[in-house]
Amino acid sequence: MKKLFVSIFAISLLFSCNKSNKNITDKALDQKFDRYKDGFVTSLWKISPNWASSAGYHKLDSVLTIPDGNQKKIVLDFVNAQLDSLKKFNIDELSDNNKTDFHLIKNELESDIFSITELKSGEWDPSSYNVCGYFAEILNGNYETPEVRLHAFNIKMNNIPAYYEAAKKNIKNPTIEHTDLAIAQNIGGSTVFETDLNSALEQSKLSATEKKEIKDKAKVSIKAIKDYAEWLQNLSNKTPRSFRLGSDLYAKKFNFDIQSSYTADEIYKIAVDHKNDLHDKMFVLADKLWEKYKGNAPKPADKLDLIIQVIDKISLQHTTPEKFQSEIEKQIPELTAYVKAKDLLYIDPSKPLVVRKEPAYMAGVAGASISAPGPYDKNANTYYNVGSMSGWTAENAESYLREYNDYILQILNIHEAIPGHYTQLVYSNQSPSIIKSILGNGAMVEGWAVYAEKMMLESGYKNSDEMWLMYYKWNLRTTCNTILDNSVHTKEMSKEEAMRLLTREAFQQQAEAEGKWKRVTLSQVQLCSYFTGYTEIYNLREELKKKEGDKFNLKQFHEKFLSFGSAPVKYIKELMLSKE
């Protein structure tokens, strides 16, 4: 018996030692992978200095890469070398956090190959060539002194003429839609080198000689930008590429961009079912509100007609074009106070959010957006960009404001600001993983903002039948984004069919629907990110609620979920369910 005990003890000791050695090996492997990640990021910034600047890494602000064949070769050589390096790591032996980073890096590298060798958008999307935003970020930054930033601005301008010459050589059969966008955004953005730059120079302490040098280069830069726009205007484009991506490219781009547990076709089918479910819920509420808003008017037999008539009445409650931005500014502290009072999650009061008029170089795609600082520039301002209605006809402005009525404007602010994008991106920048910050997954980012909308209403925010009806209408936008994007790019959906989907089945105003049609002709897959991410986040929460029962804590779920940075939801799910 004693002999048997000794044998068992020896085996146990051996197993314990092996386990200990494995832990040491794993820790050493993780440390090795961490060193690899540091080298990967440093190398990435060298070939992508503009991306580096937007992430808050400003050592390469003065560098403007020229998008020519040599640069393409540099990128492909980098990608292939990094993929070879990844093969040296056994992903199963890495920690959960490093497994996620491994997936993100590999996806980014393979996506780069797909973009260069298959998608080839640089040949058909002239709007991908635009330097104005890069230079505006230097002027608007709060890092370093104005003089240091202007010095980088000065050197960076040296390559602008060569940049646009390379762009002209790359473009072969551009789409009409992307050509028009490129012309508008480059001409509009060129003011960065006039009004914005002159203002910065006046406030700087640069010598008169350097100021003159910068102004002279700015004139050359403006000429190169406007020459590019004029070249596009005069381009003989007899065989323009269709803006439609096609099923094969679309499916591949969806997998790389969304990184979902669903395929493009699967999430499309889920969205169609969800749309029908929302119609049923909206009919119940609209029928209940009919008498309040329509009095004794006879109810239409068609349930969508009934919903539309009630929504149209409620939508008359809206602000004015002049007060649109100030109304948004007023609601931000109200939302912050509500989240704090309900203890939904912690919001860092030291991270500023600035509401501003949308810059000219960003105009033309979306009416509201967030520009967040990168992980190296965590204390910089986060900007809430609000589109202007100046120059709009009274009819278009009224249509837009009915879309963003008093109820939906609040949901928009939840989505864009608190506790949506602004809040999530602050958490993302605090993530210990630089990889999760810089390779952030759009479906997780947009999905969180959409999830935040429903979560806020579930918690009791402005609870009323009107608010829920308008929320369902807003959620239909997210749902129909997926249906629209997939249908347009893979099913030849016409503009007439798209407008019917948006105005009839998603109850959108004509101006909003027109804007969405424009957006779907200019982007691919991104419109799917909202509904896909939202679906995966909501399902994860419900799974954990069922699993944990009374022990489930909503605030803890939110903060733990956000702590993993902007990683794909399918990987965050693995991390949150992990027993490690």
Side-chain angles (χ1 to χ4, degrees), residues 380-419:
N381 290 337
T382 297
Y383 291 103
Y384 186 164
N385 309 301
V386 181
S388 170
M389 281 171 267
S390 63
W392 288 27
T393 65
E395 181 182 8
N396 284 344
E398 176 64 18
S399 178
Y400 185 82
L401 290 171
R402 287 186 185 184
E403 184 68 29
Y404 292 95
N405 56 64
D406 289 348
Y407 295 97
I408 284 184
L409 189 59
Q410 296 178 74
I411 300 171
L412 173 70
N413 290 330
I414 291 171
H415 179 103
E416 296 292 345
I418 295 169

Side-chain angles (χ1 to χ4, degrees), residues 96-97 344-346 427 431-432 436 444 448 540 544 547-548 552-566 571-580:
D96 279 352
N97 274 301
L344 298 174
L345 78 166
Y346 174 72
Y427 272 86
S431 169
K436 293 183 183 68
M444 181 274 173
W448 169 263
L540 171 60
L544 283 169
K547 180 180 178 182
E548 297 176 10
F552 179 81
N553 181 284
L554 188 62
K555 182 181 183 182
Q556 288 177 6
F557 167 76
H558 291 155
E559 293 180 350
K560 185 174 182 182
F561 179 84
L562 294 176
S563 72
F564 295 112
S566 303
Y571 297 132
I572 294 179
K573 179 179 179 179
E574 289 179 11
L575 291 169
M576 291 188 72
L577 297 178
S578 171
K579 294 179 180 178
E580 185 177 76

Side-chain angles (χ1 to χ4, degrees), residues 269-281:
K269 291 170 184 174
I270 293 170
V272 171
D273 290 341
H274 189 63
K275 177 195 72 173
N276 296 331
D277 181 55
L278 288 173
H279 284 167
D280 292 340
K281 290 177 178 176

Side-chain angles (χ1 to χ4, degrees), residues 437-455:
S437 293
I438 64 174
L439 303 182
N441 174 251
M444 181 274 173
V445 174
E446 294 295 353
W448 169 263
V450 177
Y451 164 79
E453 300 158 13
K454 186 169 186 180
M455 180 272 292

